[in-house]
Amino acid sequence: MAVLPSSSSSLELTISVPGFASSPTLLPSSSVKELDINQVPLEEDWMASNMEDEEESSNGEPPRKKLRLTKEQSRLLEESFRQNHTLNPKESLAMQLKLRPRQVEVWFQNRRARSKLKQTEMECEYLKRWFGSLTEQNRRLQREVEELRAIKVGPPTVISPHSCEPLPASTLSMCPRCERVTSTADKPPSAAATLSAKVPPTQSRQPSAAC
DNA sequence: AAGGTCAACATGAGGT
DNA sequence: ACCTCATGTTGACCTT
């Protein structure tokens, strides 16, 4: 879908290339593109072109040109963003940057979006690594439980703190959080059932009842 | 040429 | 009704 402005407001930007500025009519977009890519105007010319363009295309179809913020403009915007993620006095910053308030507004909106995207990506990465380590830990513990269950006979080594009697190895498990051996015989069945269940990360974040 | 970046825009939700 | 913001999209420009 083509994005065309609902009105011919001042939002449209055209760039006047030095040497071609005298031309009263807009060049076709293809020829403008070549000029833009190969001949970057001076910073002053950029700013001037950002501010000046209030006139409209004579043929009624204003080509949407892309504005590139100068390094100084970006630096100032970033600095302002660091101080506050929301824009309070819109006009003053715009004036300082020689941009329109709307441009500064849009920049902040986009900047917030980028910031959020970055954070989401980092969180996703973190959760992936966490899931991997939990999976590995789960595998280890399952193996350990299998081994313990295999040793059905043999001298009991754990004494129940409640009954003060030896516990059978088959009832033993390891708390994934504190990595201490606990007995399912000492706990309600619901808690014991969590060992073999696939525990989602959000649940395993909570401290185990055994601790 | 393909893919990435980013300014600009559209739209809908929520607050006043 | 208006404003602000989040989110998704578009298109110009840039990089590889």
Side-chain angles (χ1 to χ4, degrees):
Chain A
M1 183 175 62
V3 178
L4 290 172
S6 50
S7 66
S8 58
S9 66
S10 60
L11 291 179
E12 282 303 319
L13 293 171
T14 56
I15 296 168
S16 54
V17 179
F20 290 86
S22 58
S23 171
T25 57
L26 261 112
L27 293 162
S29 61
S30 57
S31 51
V32 170
K33 187 186 288 182
E34 286 172 14
L35 289 168
D36 284 343
I37 291 171
N38 299 324
Q39 185 180 358
V40 178
L42 297 171
E43 224 173 270
E44 294 79 17
D45 296 323
W46 270 95
M47 291 198 188
S49 68
N50 293 343
M51 291 299 285
E52 86 183 358
D53 176 49
E54 297 298 328
E55 87 266 32
E56 202 175 315
S57 162
S58 57
N59 55 10
E61 44 174 60
R64 181 170 149 184
K65 294 301 298 173
K66 187 172 177 69
L67 159 80
R68 299 303 294 197
L69 298 170
T70 64
K71 280 180 182 162
E72 182 61 12
Q73 284 173 325
S74 294
R75 191 188 64 77
L76 274 169
L77 284 165
E78 284 289 346
E79 197 174 302
S80 176
F81 185 78
R82 256 200 307 278
Q83 285 165 12
N84 198 347
H85 283 210
T86 52
L87 185 59
N88 19 6
K90 195 186 321 183
E91 281 77 11
S92 69
L93 185 57
M95 213 142 75
Q96 195 182 344
L97 294 165
K98 296 186 178 172
L99 293 170
R100 295 193 192 90
R102 171 67 183 157
Q103 288 179 298
V104 179
E105 196 179 339
V106 165
W107 187 90
F108 265 77
Q109 282 175 3
N110 286 324
R111 184 65 179 79
R112 277 193 295 270
R114 283 196 293 272
S115 181
K116 191 166 187 178
L117 178 67
K118 202 169 182 178
Q119 185 170 354
T120 305
E121 282 173 352
M122 282 170 65
E123 281 174 10
C124 179
E125 201 55 40
Y126 171 75
L127 286 172
K128 270 197 272 187
R129 261 182 278 151
W130 191 16
F131 177 75
S133 74
L134 284 177
T135 306
E136 174 57 33
Q137 191 180 27
N138 191 35
R139 232 192 329 264
R140 241 184 23 239
L141 292 170
Q142 297 272 19
R143 248 199 328 267
E144 205 166 322
V145 168
E146 288 304 318
E147 285 170 17
L148 288 169
R149 284 202 174 123
I151 314 170
K152 286 250 167 143
V153 287
T157 54
V158 178
I159 306 297
S160 167
H162 301 109
S163 59
C164 296
E165 285 180 12
L167 291 167
S170 58
T171 66
L172 298 178
S173 64
M174 188 177 280
C175 170
R177 186 165 180 84
C178 62
E179 297 199 344
R180 282 208 304 241
V181 173
T182 60
S183 170
T184 56
D186 285 343
K187 286 184 287 181
S190 59
T194 60
L195 178 68
S196 57
K198 289 193 175 88
V199 184
T202 49
Q203 287 180 18
S204 61
R205 197 187 282 202
Q206 305 299 324
S208 163
C211 309

